[in-house]
Amino acid sequence: MGNGLKLVKVSLLLLHMALLAWMSVGTSYPGPIESLFRKVGSLVLHVIGYFLLAMLFAWVFMARGKRAVLMALPGAFLYGLALEVVQIYLPARGFSGMDILLNLVGSCAGTLSSLIFLA
């Protein structure tokens, strides 16, 4: 894999991770994002966000083979778990077991999709 493509893959992964972190620790968002929360719902956004995160992890790892793609699952899930733990210490946020479960569902679906379509 060329260094340019590798840089693109890692950059997209880091940007998505930053977006998830911002969404996890924030308490107010710009109008279009608030509208998205109302239309789609926070729970659905958890699944979609971690589905995409697992896909991006898998895309980065796939250069190392199909087996390495499996690392997308713990990578995505543990990142979500870490963000959820951070919320314990934020006054306007809180830890949610349901969010963790939905992050896991999205991470599993993204990893499975990656195994089917990417690897």
Side-chain angles (χ1 to χ4, degrees), residues 6-20:
K6 187 175 188 177
L7 180 62
V8 168
K9 289 179 176 186
V10 172
S11 296
L12 288 173
L13 173 63
L14 293 174
L15 282 171
H16 189 67
M17 291 174 79
L19 174 66
L20 290 174

Side-chain angles (χ1 to χ4, degrees), residues 21 24-26 29-31 33 41 44 60 62 71 80-81 87 91 95 103:
S24 294
V25 301
Y29 308 99
I33 294 188
V44 172
V60 169
M62 73 183 217
M71 291 306 297
L81 180 63
Q87 291 180 23
F95 184 90
N103 294 351

